[in-house]
Amino acid sequence: MAELTRDDVAHLAGLARIDLSDAELDRMVGELGVILESVAVVQQSPIEGVEPMSHPMPIVNVTRPDVVRPSLGADAALSGAPESDQQRFSVPRILDED
Amino acid sequence: MSATTTDATLAWDDVLAAFDPVLGLEVHVELGTNTKMFCGCATEFGAEPNTQVCPVCLGLPGALPVVNEVAVESAIRIGLALNCEIAQWCRFARKNYFYPDMPKNFQTSQYDEPIAFEGFLDVELDDGSTFRVEIERAHMEEDTGKSLHVGGSTGRIHGATHSLVDYNRAGIPLIEIVTKPLRGAGERAPEVARAYVATLRDLLKALDVSDVKMEQGSMRCDVNLSLMPKGTTTLGTRTETKNVNSLRSVERAVRYEMCRHGAILKDGGSILQETRHWHEDTGITTSGRVKSDADDYRYFPEPDLVPVAPTRETVESLRATLPEPPAQRRKRLQSDWGFSDLEMRDVLNAGLVDLIGETVEAGATPAGARKWWSGDIARRANAEGSTDVASYAAERSITPAHVVELEGLVTSGRLNDSMARQVWEGVLDGEGSPTAVADARGLELVQDDGALEAAVDEVIAANPDVAQKVRDGKVQAAGALIGQVMKAMKGQADAGKAREIILAKLTS
Ligand SMILES: [Zn+2]
């Protein structure tokens, strides 16, 4: 596996909308590198001929009928929000996008 | 951000002389299911904010999504109607991104295993020719919440201090239909784009899977465009113009992007791969964000949902529910009804096809159904700001049976044409059924031949000169006498019968 670079970390931080200082970026390259290295051990597993698995149970087609069930209600829905206004979740504006 | 600067554009003819356009269209359709894609929340349009939300669609910890079976059936039916293969086995995937309109921080979508793939839709152009639009895939996903940007002056994000989010729409089932890159449309590329979206809309309406209202956002179109220098076959860099939400805008956006790309390429510049925003008012696009790579979304199979594996029996039973394709249906009805191309086009534009169909089924002649539904009632609906005669009529309890009854009164000889018009007016005024209106207004052709003969005798006696002309063989002179007779009868006579009696008296 290719080494994690400082640019990779900066790119990921941008996607996750986390503002990292230069010092934090440097630190994260090291810390994330250690994590990746540790996890990379699984890549040594002999997987020849083994199909990738996305679900532990071999079941398909679990569906529900298209019948309306009660929703939470706006008060309950908003109760966990740090801020709300006009019965809506209030969030900081997202920069650089329209 | 340069929303105010206008990009250079190349003249249309110069674009066509130097480049071939390559089009790609992505259409998102909100399904008309009762509940959301993965939870039982209602999908009612226009509900109070955050009243149709639950732990699943809010992405609260521990919530378990379960797929809506009707949404899967609708997706398969759409795929089949688009002549697609239906996957034997496919999964949902998480598309990870951080934006407040998705509370889970990912959108549940399908990635490399769409439910439907490799299809086509034949699109009829204005000149009657057909363009085959190849479909790459149709996949299931969910809609996002709606943000309201506050603090700014325009409701847009610039100048906004924060955003208010309503998650009622988050989780509503969406089908995304993606075409292959469409080449060879040339100067007709804008028309092909519009015709494709219009044809797709008609098809989805016929399938009854969505209300496909572009103005309400239940059908949304993204336009991908690139140019290839003539004589080359390598695809150019494309831009994706988002949320082009009317048929006319689809056509204009394609044309505009062709001219904008043309200007850049002609100058030796290169196209930036980015999303563009369409501005309905000015007819231009402006730069949006630089497009993320698929890698950036870190797609992976959704562990909370099991695969969808429709049996071939299920697929075939859904295929049996497909309606007749709209274009084919139009052709069949036109020939059944004996309408000219012009008449059929008028009927289509007025949205009268279903209403005329029901009226013919109820026993009226096609010509009669067309005449009564497209005359006074269309004018009235129009004058009152309604563009849809069918719903205008339904609101006033005016039904196909009324047209059948009115026509019956004419064929039975009770009413002549001008009386029938008066009766129809009464029906539209809410005075009741045609028979009731005719009774109330005392409208009835005089069936008493004696009264008619007496009137004819009087008119002949009063107009000896004219009568003599008719006797001399100038049959057309009888018209003046008929007019006088009808006047004497106060319009309540059968003009044909009056003519018969006059000619019998003067020429035998
Ligand atoms: Zn929900």
Side-chain angles (χ1 to χ4, degrees), chain A residues 11 15 17 54-55 59-64 66-69 71-72 74 87-91 93-94 97-98, chain B residues 34-36 39-41 49-50 53 66-69 91 98 156-157 160 162-165 296 303 307 309:
Chain A
H11 181 64
L15 290 173
R17 302 177 191 286
S54 58
H55 200 276
I59 47 174
V60 294
N61 297 333
V62 177
T63 58
R64 63 179 171 80
D66 184 26
V67 176
V68 174
R69 297 181 52 177
S71 291
L72 274 181
Q87 209 169 304
R88 293 171 171 90
F89 293 82
S90 180
V91 300
R93 71 169 179 155
I94 300 295
E97 284 193 13
D98 194 351
Chain B
N34 299 320
T35 67
K36 293 186 177 180
C39 62
C41 288
N50 294 304
V53 292
V66 185
V67 173
N68 181 337
E69 70 178 349
R91 288 177 297 187
F98 293 82
R156 297 173 67 85
I157 200 156
H162 57 292
S163 302
L164 299 178
V165 194
D296 286 344

Side-chain angles (χ1 to χ4, degrees), chain B residues 28-290:
Chain B
H28 287 89
V29 187
E30 258 184 14
L31 294 181
T33 48
N34 299 320
T35 67
K36 293 186 177 180
M37 188 77 213
F38 304 111
C39 62
C41 288
T43 55
E44 213 66 54
F45 182 79
E48 289 297 309
N50 294 304
T51 53
Q52 296 175 163
V53 292
C54 74
V56 171
C57 54
L58 287 175
L60 301 186
L64 187 68
V66 185
V67 173
N68 181 337
E69 70 178 349
V70 174
V72 175
E73 286 170 3
S74 299
I76 295 173
R77 292 178 72 235
I78 291 170
L80 291 171
L82 292 170
N83 305 292
C84 287
E85 305 273 329
I86 303 302
Q88 307 257 6
W89 188 92
C90 64
R91 288 177 297 187
F92 287 95
R94 291 189 180 183
K95 180 183 182 180
N96 297 278
Y97 70 96
F98 293 82
Y99 199 75
D101 64 3
M102 251 301 152
K104 300 185 291 188
N105 282 341
F106 62 84
Q107 180 188 33
T108 307
S109 180
Q110 293 194 288
Y111 182 44
D112 49 359
E113 298 167 4
I115 182 101
F117 51 93
E118 298 284 332
F120 64 87
L121 181 62
D122 283 332
V123 172
E124 200 175 306
L125 302 180
D126 289 344
D127 66 0
S129 65
T130 298
F131 190 96
R132 174 160 292 188
V133 173
E134 306 272 353
I135 305 291
E136 183 173 299
R137 56 189 281 152
H139 72 250
M140 299 180 278
E141 58 181 38
E142 58 180 334
D143 212 342
T144 59
K146 261 188 187 160
S147 304
L148 188 69
H149 304 301
V150 290
S153 55
T154 57
R156 297 173 67 85
I157 200 156
H158 298 292
T161 52
H162 57 292
S163 302
L164 299 178
V165 194
D166 168 14
Y167 290 119
N168 281 349
R169 200 180 65 180
I172 290 185
L174 283 185
I175 304 297
E176 179 175 344
I177 300 161
V178 183
T179 68
K180 294 194 173 170
L182 307 174
R183 305 164 198 241
E187 62 177 340
R188 294 190 304 177
E191 186 195 347
V192 166
R194 173 180 51 76
Y196 166 69
V197 177
T199 307
L200 185 58
R201 187 190 59 179
D202 290 351
L203 181 66
L204 294 166
K205 200 177 261 181
L207 284 166
D208 199 20
V209 292
S210 168
D211 61 10
V212 284
K213 289 186 174 158
M214 293 187 87
E215 69 282 4
Q216 282 183 7
S218 59
M219 181 174 183
R220 314 194 278 270
C221 183
D222 301 339
V223 173
N224 287 293
L225 185 107
S226 64
L227 294 183
M228 290 189 303
K230 275 211 182 296
T232 67
T233 52
T234 322
L235 291 178
T237 304
R238 68 192 166 91
T239 52
E240 180 179 3
T241 305
K242 294 291 227 186
N243 293 327
V244 190
N245 290 338
S246 73
L247 294 178
R248 186 165 165 263
S249 294
V250 168
E251 185 162 3
R252 289 168 75 206
V254 171
R255 196 180 163 106
Y256 177 81
E257 278 295 281
M258 283 173 69
C259 296
R260 192 183 66 83
H261 282 218
I264 294 170
L265 295 172
K266 196 88 180 176
D267 259 8
S270 51
I271 306 294
L272 181 65
Q273 183 170 345
E274 61 179 354
T275 58
R276 306 279 303 177
H277 299 295
W278 169 247
H279 301 273
E280 178 75 49
D281 47 351
T282 48
I284 65 167
T285 67
T286 55
S287 175
R289 69 195 145 98
V290 174

Side-chain angles (χ1 to χ4, degrees), chain B residues 273-344:
Chain B
Q273 183 170 345
E274 61 179 354
T275 58
R276 306 279 303 177
H277 299 295
W278 169 247
H279 301 273
E280 178 75 49
D281 47 351
T282 48
I284 65 167
T285 67
T286 55
S287 175
R289 69 195 145 98
V290 174
K291 208 169 157 43
S292 300
D293 289 331
D295 278 355
D296 286 344
Y297 290 122
R298 288 157 295 133
Y299 281 100
F300 63 85
E302 165 58 84
D304 287 342
L305 292 166
V306 301
V308 175
T311 64
R312 295 303 99 176
E313 293 75 49
T314 304
V315 171
E316 288 317 308
S317 68
L318 289 171
R319 195 191 300 277
T321 69
L322 295 185
E324 183 181 16
Q328 195 175 315
R329 175 168 181 261
R330 282 196 294 272
K331 287 205 179 87
R332 177 177 59 80
L333 290 176
Q334 182 179 352
S335 121
D336 285 357
W337 293 344
F339 288 178
S340 69
D341 288 350
L342 185 67
E343 286 168 343
M344 195 64 193

